[in-house]
Amino acid sequence: MATHRIHHRTVTVRGLDVYYREAGPADAPVLLLLHGFPSSSHMFRDLIPLLADRYRVIAPDHIGFGRSATPDPAEFRYTFDELAGITEEFTDLLGLERYALYIQDYGAPIGLRLALARPERVTAIVTQNGNAYEEGLGAEAWAPVLALIEKRTPQTEAPVREIYSPEGIKWQYLHGVPDPTLVSPDAYEHDTARIARPGQAEIQLDLISDYGANFALYPAFHAYFRESRVPLLAVWGAHDEIFVPEGALAFRRDLPEAEIHLLPAGHFALETHADQVAALIRDFLARTLRHGNGPGSLLVADLPARVRGADQPMCGYP
């Protein structure tokens, strides 16, 4: 597999700097990677080199995250509509007329808004713990967020602030991981440092408060799936208690041919299973981008042991 350098670039959208990582041939099919909370394109640092020989891989940092601009909440509305609008303009600026989406956590409602706005652009979707169904919401993890969405008060804000505390961020990376020693501390310490910057506490609280707007769009997302029959691959950390496996299985309701794989991992599956995720993506996109939304599904059990890892069992749902 050829090695491709990762470029670190910045463009201006609506007067705001949007940082992004890019690798791969300029004329290759595009894969747009959209990160989740509380991370950034940093979460794709291991995945990008595994895909860049065959795809033009682009991973932006959302406004308020990573190395992108973090405008004052008094001057910028931190909502998912706003982040999706900026991401759409970002794709226009880069001339991305067709692309496959990789969506994780916050990246899901942002990316699926792009699909609603420009369905003709989306060639396929890879969702890694990127939820679109109520069944995917872990009851315990979501209880404080749902209380905040229902009524924002200092009392409902307090437990939500713990979610992006240093311990809360570390929990998201390590919880449900069979061998936590495989997770580099650099990952959660990187996120913790970015979230600790001035103004971040209110930025993240505003976005979490807006998450209810995503629930309101779930029926539209489901209709998009049914009408478009977009090829979809779910590679899901089975031990994630934020977006639980039922959320992965639910895609089959609207996309019967969706390919679903539950990995022995947590919320940030790439920290421990980047090789396996890359192998599944390469196989999936090679088939779907060449042949369209055809029948058939790859079972994890059919993968060579060198790909899936003899000591890393997975569950594949055909």
Side-chain angles (χ1 to χ4, degrees):
M1 196 181 301
T3 300
H4 290 267
R5 289 185 169 184
I6 299 176
H7 298 271
H8 302 264
R9 296 177 167 137
T10 302
V11 295
T12 302
V13 180
R14 300 186 189 176
L16 300 171
D17 285 344
V18 176
Y19 166 89
Y20 66 102
R21 303 170 195 242
E22 178 175 3
D27 59 350
V30 175
L31 176 59
L32 182 64
L33 308 177
L34 300 180
H35 71 83
F37 166 89
S39 191
S40 64
S41 61
H42 182 259
M43 70 170 282
F44 299 118
R45 66 198 180 281
D46 295 329
L47 183 67
I48 291 173
L50 298 174
L51 300 173
D53 65 314
R54 187 176 297 179
Y55 302 101
R56 181 185 177 194
V57 188
I58 298 172
D61 289 354
H62 304 311
I63 295 298
F65 293 84
R67 291 177 172 83
S68 286
T70 55
D72 190 316
E75 301 174 356
F76 179 85
R77 293 179 62 248
Y78 281 92
T79 67
F80 286 88
D81 280 344
E82 287 294 312
L83 296 191
I86 287 176
T87 306
E88 183 177 2
E89 292 183 32
F90 169 83
T91 64
D92 290 340
L93 193 61
L94 269 60
L96 308 183
E97 296 181 355
R98 298 271 286 171
Y99 49 80
L101 283 169
Y102 182 116
I103 53 177
Q104 195 264 351
D105 193 272
Y106 277 11
I110 292 171
L112 293 176
R113 278 172 169 80
L114 300 187
L116 290 182
R118 305 271 186 90
E120 73 284 354
R121 288 190 171 187
V122 179
T123 57
I125 294 175
V126 178
T127 173
Q128 185 256 297
N129 301 74
N131 193 58
Y133 293 87
E134 290 185 8
E135 295 95 316
L137 304 175
E140 184 175 349
W142 279 89
V145 177
L146 295 178
L148 178 72
I149 291 171
E150 182 177 353
K151 187 175 183 180
R152 184 171 176 178
T153 68
Q155 289 71 36
T156 58
E157 289 179 356
V160 171
R161 291 179 186 271
E162 292 301 312
I163 294 172
Y164 49 87
S165 69
E167 282 304 312
I169 292 172
K170 184 177 180 180
W171 180 89
Q172 292 180 59
Y173 274 89
L174 299 184
H175 189 77
V177 180
D179 184 357
T181 66
L182 293 174
V183 178
S184 170
D186 295 343
Y188 50 83
E189 289 176 359
H190 176 275
D191 288 0
T192 297
R194 307 307 289 183
I195 294 293
R197 291 173 295 168
Q200 275 288 321
E202 293 307 316
I203 288 172
Q204 300 307 326
L205 198 59
D206 283 355
L207 269 176
I208 296 173
S209 299
D210 187 59
Y211 205 93
N214 300 326
F215 301 150
L217 282 178
Y218 278 5
F221 295 159
H222 303 163
Y224 160 73
F225 296 147
R226 292 192 299 270
E227 294 165 8
S228 69
R229 297 185 65 241
V230 62
L232 185 137
L233 168 68
V235 282
W236 210 273
H239 306 312
D240 185 5
E241 292 191 15
I242 301 169
F243 293 121
V244 295
E246 287 80 359
L249 300 175
F251 283 100
R252 276 289 179 79
R253 184 185 312 151
D254 298 303
L255 289 169
E257 294 174 357
E259 303 178 22
I260 301 169
H261 302 271
L262 303 181
L263 286 68
H267 187 64
F268 287 102
L270 292 179
E271 296 300 318
T272 53
H273 288 74
D275 288 348
Q276 290 89 341
V277 170
L280 290 168
I281 291 174
R282 290 171 70 88
D283 174 85
F284 169 72
L285 293 182
R287 290 182 287 108
T288 57
L289 297 189
R290 182 180 302 129
H291 301 297
N293 189 17
S297 171
L298 177 71
L299 281 171
V300 174
D302 296 332
L303 286 173
R306 62 179 176 82
V307 173
R308 60 183 171 85
D311 60 341
Q312 297 291 335
M314 302 185 218
C315 301
Y317 289 77

